[in-house]
């Protein structure tokens, strides 16, 4: 008598809806926002430990350039990994060392709260305008309401710091707006040129390292890096160089390809909220109750802007009253 083989129960199949391009794009956008939030929190921890922004930029571009160099060499230096040298230079000018110098340099003239609001606000607004005029991607009412809510949340997070400043504060504010606009143009160009995420990351990382690293070694030197602890340097290498310099750029570029430039530009507005949450374990900074409220507002508004949560007021008003 032959005993039938006992088959192990198969794992339940995941719903196909979980693998739609929209869900993938939202997931990748959230990954990028989480990494950039960790980048800001780790940058604060590094500065508190004695590092300067120039040191952190050196780690970011040096590590990212080394990581992506083999890929670029394999795909062809002649075409800069298929991106083309002309386009690669433009992308690197937009989100390479110049972007960091302008965005971080704004804090020399304006408070931290101004940068936390104005840079992501400029990125989102400019991306919406460019997408509407060039890509004909008109924002929906839900997206507009969500964006307004996200900006309100950012204002709550920034708190009283928005009301502080000096006569030079407008200079810093202008630099934040320029930096946000630069990333918005990068987002649009990767969409128009259909640049693959790996190719865009390799081009920006390698060219940025080729320009910035030699200048840093000649002008600044590595004395501060040698004085830092091994654990701090390792954390900076992982967060700044690998996660922020490589993984986040790939994730965001792919999210742009899946969602479009306008919707992908919503995720950077989440970065200050993520930085506040991650700042608790990484930098030891405890957020205020008002900041936590702002984090909740930004998160809820993002869901509305992306269309994950829809509030159809018209349908609610037209709904007939329930009979008793």
């Amino acid at each position: 008598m032959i005993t039938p083989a006992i088959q192990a129960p198969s794992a339940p199949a995941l719903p196909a809806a979980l693998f739609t391009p929209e869900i993938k794009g939202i997931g990748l956008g959230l990954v990028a926002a989480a990494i950039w939030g960790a980048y800001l929190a780790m940058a604060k921890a590094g500065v508190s430990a004695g590092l300067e922004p120039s040191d952190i930029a050196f780690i970011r571009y040096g590590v990212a350039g080394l990581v992506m160099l083999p890929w670029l060499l394999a795909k062809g230096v002649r075409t800069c990994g298929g991106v083309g040298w002309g386009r690669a230079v433009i992308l690197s000018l937009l989100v390479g060392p110049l972007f960091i110098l302008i965005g971080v340099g704004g804090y020399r003239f304006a408070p931290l709260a101004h940068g936390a609001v104005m840079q992501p606000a400029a990125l989102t607004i400019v991306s919406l305008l460019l997408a509407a005029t060039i890509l004909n991607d008109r924002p929906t009412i839900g997206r507009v309401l969500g964006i307004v809510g996200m900006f309100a949340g950012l204002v709550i997070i920034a708190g009283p710091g928005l009301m502080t400043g000096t006569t030079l504060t407008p200079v810093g504010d202008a630099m934040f707006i320029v930096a946000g606009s630069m990333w918005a143009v990068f987002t649009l160009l990767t969409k128009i040129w259909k640049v693959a995420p790996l190719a865009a990351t390799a081009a920006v990382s390698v060219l940025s390292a080729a320009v910035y690293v030699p200048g840093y070694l000649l002008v600044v030197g590595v004395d501060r890096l040698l004085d830092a602890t091994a654990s701090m340097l390792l954390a900076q290498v992982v967060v700044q160089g690998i996660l922020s310099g490589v993984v986040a750029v790939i994730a965001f570029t792919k999210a742009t390809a899946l969602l479009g430039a306008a919707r992908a530009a919503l995720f950077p507005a989440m970065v200050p909220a993520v930085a506040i949450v991650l700042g608790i374990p990484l930098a030891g900074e405890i957020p205020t109750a008002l900041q936590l409220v702002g984090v909740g507002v930004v998160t809820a508004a993002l869901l509305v802007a992306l269309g994950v949560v829809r509030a159809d007021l018209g349908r609610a008003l037209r709904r007939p009253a329930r009979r008793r």
Side-chain angles (χ1 to χ4, degrees):
M1 182 176 180
I2 300 177
T3 304
I6 300 176
Q7 296 181 350
S10 58
L14 293 175
L18 294 179
F19 299 98
T20 62
E22 183 178 28
I23 296 299
K24 291 179 182 178
I26 292 174
L28 290 169
L30 291 175
V31 168
I35 291 174
W36 284 329
Y39 155 75
L40 291 179
M42 185 56 66
K44 292 180 181 178
V47 171
S48 299
L51 297 179
E52 294 289 338
S54 59
D55 305 322
I56 295 173
F58 168 75
I59 295 173
R60 172 172 177 169
Y61 295 120
V63 173
L66 287 176
V67 170
M68 298 308 301
L69 181 59
W71 187 93
L72 186 69
L73 294 175
K75 293 298 180 179
V77 177
R78 188 174 182 179
T79 61
C80 198
V83 178
W85 281 100
R87 292 179 175 181
V89 169
I90 293 174
L91 295 178
S92 298
L93 287 173
L94 290 172
V95 297
L98 186 60
F99 168 79
I100 298 294
L101 293 175
I102 293 176
V104 177
Y107 292 115
R108 293 181 177 272
F109 308 100
L112 177 65
H114 286 229
V117 173
M118 292 192 175
Q119 189 162 321
L123 194 162
T124 302
I125 292 174
V126 173
S127 293
L128 285 174
L129 293 175
L130 292 175
T133 56
I134 298 177
L135 301 179
N136 199 29
D137 183 2
R138 307 292 180 182
T140 62
I141 296 178
R143 190 185 304 174
V144 173
L145 291 176
I147 291 170
V148 172
M150 293 179 74
F151 291 162
L154 290 176
V155 171
I156 294 173
I157 290 173
L162 279 177
M163 306 306 295
T164 62
T166 66
T167 55
L168 293 177
T169 296
V171 176
D173 292 343
M175 295 176 72
F176 296 140
I177 293 173
V178 170
S181 301
M182 289 170 66
W183 196 282
V185 176
F186 166 81
T187 303
L188 178 73
L189 291 180
T190 57
K191 180 69 175 179
I192 293 177
W193 292 340
K194 298 180 180 179
V195 180
L198 273 173
T201 306
V204 171
S205 300
V206 175
L207 288 182
S208 296
V211 172
Y212 185 83
V213 170
Y216 172 88
L217 294 175
L218 289 174
V219 177
V220 179
V222 296
D223 292 340
R224 284 190 297 266
L225 296 179
L226 295 177
D227 291 337
T229 63
S231 59
M232 173 57 67
L233 287 179
L234 179 60
Q236 295 292 340
V237 166
V238 172
V239 174
Q240 311 293 356
I242 298 176
L243 294 180
S244 181
V246 177
V247 178
V249 180
I250 293 174
F252 185 76
T253 307
K254 184 63 175 178
T256 301
L258 293 172
L259 298 176
R263 297 180 73 190
L266 300 172
F267 294 102
M270 283 291 297
V271 173
V274 176
I276 286 176
V277 174
L278 294 179
I280 300 174
L282 294 181
E285 296 187 0
I286 307 300
T288 65
L290 191 61
Q291 286 179 320
L292 292 177
V293 170
V295 171
V297 172
V298 171
T299 303
L302 175 67
L303 296 178
V304 174
L306 291 173
V308 177
V309 175
R310 293 180 174 88
D312 194 339
L313 298 179
R315 180 180 299 178
L317 293 174
R318 293 192 301 269
R319 184 178 299 168
R322 183 180 297 177
R323 294 181 179 179
R324 296 182 178 178

